[in-house]
Structure formats: C-alpha cells, structure tokens
C-alpha cells in the first residue's frame, strides 16, 4: 500500500444525504408493539422494552421516588427468581441489562448475542411481569437513594439545576413535586409494587430491536412480546402532558457558604420540536455553547479561564422546550460569567458569523447528525425518539436540510428572536 502524503491536507467534502434505514413495525395480539431495525452485520443486538409511564405520571398516581425505586430494583428478584439467579442468567450469556426512567417513559434494555436472546427472553419477561422487589433489596436501595440525594445537595451544580428546573416548569408542575430524602424514605415497598403493576398492566408497551434480525431472533422477539402481558390493556395509558408555566424571569441566588465554586444555571423558554424554526434554533444554540469550539467555550473557558466547561443546549421535551446554559466558576465571578454569556448572545444576534466559524459549526453538526446512521443501535434510538417525542417522519431530513442551508443571516435572526436575555431565569448557587 502506498504511504500517505502527509505534507498536504487530505481532500474533504460535504456528506451527501442518506435515508435512515427502515424500521419494521408489528403489533402483537396482546397489544405489544414491535419495532425492528434490521441493519446489523454481526450477530448481536440490543432490545429495549419501553412503557408509557414515567416520573410525571408517577407524580400524579403514586410518587416520583416510587417509580425511581421500581426502575432501580427491576432486576433484584421476581416471584420465581432471586436477584442472584437473574444476574447469573444474564452474566452467563455475556449480556448487559440496565433500566432507564424519563419524564414519560420507563425502559429495560438488554444487549446480547443473537444466540443468547432465546434463553434471555424468559428472564426478561419474568422481570417485566413478576418483579417482586425483595424487602432487603428495597430497604438498601431506599437508603442509598436518600443518601445520594443528600450528597448531591452539597453540589452547587445540582442545587442550581433543581431550582432552574422548577423555575422553567412552574412551581405547580407535577415534575416540580418534592423528591427529597424525606420523600424517598417515606416511600414504601407497597408503593413501589403498585407503581410497577401500573407500568406492567396499564401502560402501552413497545419493544425496540436493533441488530441483525434473523428468523430465530424475530421469533424470540415475538415470544418476548407475548410474554409481557396476556392481553391488551383495558385502557391504554397515554402520557398526560402538563404544559410548563414558567416562573417570571429573574435572578435567584442560593447561598452555599462551604462551596469552593459557584454554579450558574440559565434557562430560556423555547419553541417545541414541531416548530419550523426548531432546527435552526438548535444550531444557533450549538454555535453559542454546544461544542468545544463554541462561543462560550472560546471566550469564558479558553480566553478568560473562568470555567473548566460551559455548555448550552436546546432541550425539547414533551412538556415543552427550553434553552439551557450551565457552568461552574470560581466564587465571586458568577456575574462576570453571566455578563459574558449575554455578550455572546448579543454578538450572535447583531454580527454575521465569520465564514470559517460557520463552516466549522456546520461540519460538527453534520458529523453529529450522520452518527445516527453509524450502528443499528443508534438507528433504533432514532426511532425511539420518534415515538417518545412525537417527531415528524421527516425529522432526519429536516435536520440535514437545516444544516446544509445554515447561513450567518439565519443565525442572527434566530438569536435575535429566541435568545432573549430578558427571558432568562438565572440561578447561581455557591459562596
């Protein structure tokens, strides 16, 4: 093979559009929905069981700590298997299992070889159907959860994040309900079991598969779906969405005298994912603070040395969207950091972005987007996002088009329209 000529820069070019590989959907007789992304070259897979029950629904029906503990304890034992037996079954197959909880959904995910899936199906179905939450495991998990809350309450970034969340959602929003150590310790094993029964029997269930889907693997997926419930739920649970009612814009300070740093958290209410300007706003926020070469990183970290890291993100949830900016800085410098953030927002809104910066931004955004196509797992994640957040069928293509057509004028207009300092909810927590 010829040696590369390292004296000259390799040629580069823009990526051409590619469609997202298809996802085949199937609904079983018991109402469980299968979503199969057959895009793998190796006999391995990842399977996620997703239910339409998350922390917001729990805040209305049981409690947020109850669903959090149910998620954490899901593999600790069933009516027919101990936690040790479940772990041994999973480890013997070389598989990995984890659980996840969001505002409106809960999930169990397993990654395994195709040859192992048929033997894992009875274990996964048993976990979903017959989780027992042994008392010793429950008590230990409850104590750990409460202690973790107390430890995190000493960290300025966590304290600022909790308060900014309440400010952007509103004091009366279900997700603003108390979820402190006292609430965790007040949660009973019966509450956890009741919460899991609601998830098991009432919530809509979806199975997402990413990998190489041969005939035996598809049969195993159908068997798993059939084992999750005997029949369709009588009244499928559709997540109830509470629109945010943000508290008035303003600045809030939380005194933490022992802290060596001050955390800064800023939130601005934003447009939802289905708004025509959403993708351009996401790119504008990325330019502000969404990657290492962004304005905030260049100014506040690299030039002024006021923080190790600062980020800006557009968070698009079912409950609403917001622009989030966060950083930690030395005590006494928070006002300087906030002023510099406002200065960078003003610069984005009033001065055209230089061509080299725009090119760098577009290349970064395009590489992030194309990574969706890297693996069958990433493709399955894309389709999960489509289900969980109600994104349109053209979501990938819309992002590709927004990146391709991004201009300095677009960034200026979007920043001037949506990144308004007067709309900022600002929290500082520290000494």
């Amino acid at each position: 093979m010829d040696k590369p000529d390292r004296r000259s820069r390799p040629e580069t070019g823009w990526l051409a559009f590619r469609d997202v590989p298809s996802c085949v959907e199937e609904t079983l007789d018991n109402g469980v929905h299968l979503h199969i992304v057959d895009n793998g070259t190796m006999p391995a897979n990842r399977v996620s069981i997703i239910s339409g029950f998350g922390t917001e629904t729990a805040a209305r029906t049981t409690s947020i700590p109850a669903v959090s503990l149910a998620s954490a304890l899901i593999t600790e034992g069933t009516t027919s298997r101990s936690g040790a037996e479940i772990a041994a079954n999973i480890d013997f197959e070389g598989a990995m299992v984890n659980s996840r909880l969001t505002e409106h959904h809960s999930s169990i995910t397993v990654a395994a070889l195709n040859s192992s899936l048929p033997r894992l199906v009875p274990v996964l179905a048993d976990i979903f159907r017959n989780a027992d939450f042994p008392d010793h495991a429950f008590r230990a998990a409850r104590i750990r959860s409460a202690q973790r809350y107390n430890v995190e309450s000493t960290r300025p970034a966590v304290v600022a994040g909790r308060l900014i969340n309440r400010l952007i959602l509103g004091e009366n929003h279900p997700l603003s309900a108390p979820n402190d150590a006292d609430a965790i310790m007040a949660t009973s094993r019966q509450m956890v079991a009741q919460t899991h029964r609601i998830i098991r029997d009432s919530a809509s269930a979806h199975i997402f598969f990413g990998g190489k889907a041969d005939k035996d693997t598809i049969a195993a997926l159908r068997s798993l779906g059939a084992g999750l419930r005997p029949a369709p739920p009588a009244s499928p649970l559709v997540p109830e969405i509470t629109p945010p009612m943000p508290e008035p814009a303003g600045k809030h300070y939380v005194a933490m005298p022992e802290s060596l740093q001050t955390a800064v958290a800023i939130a601005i209410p934003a447009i939802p994912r289905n708004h025509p300007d959403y993708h351009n706003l996401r790119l504008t926020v990325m330019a502000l603070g969404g990657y290492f070469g962004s304005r905030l990183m260049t100014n506040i970290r690299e030039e002024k040395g006021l923080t190790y890291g600062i980020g800006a993100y557009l968070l698009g949830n079912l409950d609403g969207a917001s622009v989030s900016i966060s950083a930690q800085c030395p005590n006494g410098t928070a006002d300087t950091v906030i002023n510099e953030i406002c200065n960078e927002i003003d610069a984005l809104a009033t001065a055209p972005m230089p061509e080299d910066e725009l090119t760098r931004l577009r290349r970064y955004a395009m590489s992030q987007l194309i990574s969706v196509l890297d693996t069958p797992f990433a493709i399955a994640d894309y389709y999960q996002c489509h289900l969980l957040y109600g994104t349109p069928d053209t979501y990938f293509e819309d992002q590709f088009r927004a990146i391709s057509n991004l201009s300095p004028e677009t960034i200026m207009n979007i920043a001037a329209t949506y990144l308004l300092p007067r709309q900022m909810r600002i929290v500082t927590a520290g000494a």
Side-chain angles (χ1 to χ4, degrees), residues 5-12 363:
D5 181 3
R6 301 189 185 279
R7 295 170 299 179
S8 58
R9 179 182 300 177
E11 294 184 7
T12 60
R363 284 176 175 168

Side-chain angles (χ1 to χ4, degrees), residues 41-125:
T41 57
M42 302 296 290
N45 64 77
R46 192 188 68 186
V47 178
S48 297
I49 305 170
I50 300 178
S51 301
F53 189 104
T55 53
E56 182 170 337
T57 311
R60 295 191 183 92
T61 56
T62 53
S63 73
I64 293 177
V67 73
S68 297
L69 287 168
S71 178
L73 291 164
I74 193 68
T75 60
E76 290 295 330
T78 70
T79 53
S80 60
R81 289 179 173 87
S82 68
E85 288 173 321
I86 292 172
N89 291 151
I90 293 169
D91 289 347
F92 182 80
E93 299 297 340
M96 294 184 296
V97 175
N98 61 66
S99 59
R100 184 168 178 261
L101 183 66
T102 68
E103 290 86 350
H104 299 289
H105 300 88
S106 55
S107 65
I108 307 169
T109 298
V110 58
L113 295 173
N114 282 14
S115 58
S116 297
L117 190 58
R119 293 186 291 275
L120 288 170
V121 160
V123 180
L124 294 173

Side-chain angles (χ1 to χ4, degrees), residues 1 33 44 151 157 206 213 258 391:
M1 187 177 71
H33 307 275
V151 170
H206 296 259
E258 303 300 320
T391 56

Side-chain angles (χ1 to χ4, degrees), residues 248-267:
K251 189 173 181 180
H252 304 259
Y253 171 67
V254 181
M256 302 182 70
E258 303 300 320
S259 175
L260 300 179
Q261 287 187 316
T262 296
V264 176
I266 297 174

Side-chain angles (χ1 to χ4, degrees), residues 270-325:
I271 51 180
R273 286 178 183 259
N274 58 3
H275 192 284
D277 285 342
Y278 183 84
H279 297 306
N280 283 330
L281 176 58
R282 188 178 68 84
L283 293 169
T284 302
V285 174
M286 186 182 293
L288 176 66
Y291 70 113
F292 197 80
S294 66
R295 296 284 181 94
L296 296 182
M297 286 290 282
T298 300
N299 177 358
I300 298 174
R301 173 189 158 125
E302 298 300 310
E303 295 179 3
K304 295 184 171 58
L306 293 175
T307 182
Y308 180 76
I310 184 168
Y313 312 95
L314 177 58
L315 307 175
N317 298 318
L318 287 174
D319 302 89
S322 63
V323 175
S324 174
I325 305 170

Side-chain angles (χ1 to χ4, degrees), residues 1 3 12 36 44 46 59 83-84 89 147 172 233 237 241 244 264 280 307 323 340 393 408 418 422:
M1 187 177 71
K3 292 183 178 179
T12 60
I36 300 174
R46 192 188 68 186
N89 291 151
Q147 289 177 338
N172 296 319
L237 180 63
I241 309 301
V264 176
N280 283 330
T307 182
V323 175
E340 291 299 329
D393 293 337
Y418 299 109
R422 68 175 182 273

Side-chain angles (χ1 to χ4, degrees), residues 146-164:
Q147 289 177 338
R148 186 182 305 114
Y149 181 93
N150 287 333
V151 170
E152 290 177 345
S153 297
T154 66
R155 299 172 180 167
V158 173
V159 172
R162 289 172 181 166
L163 178 52
I164 203 71

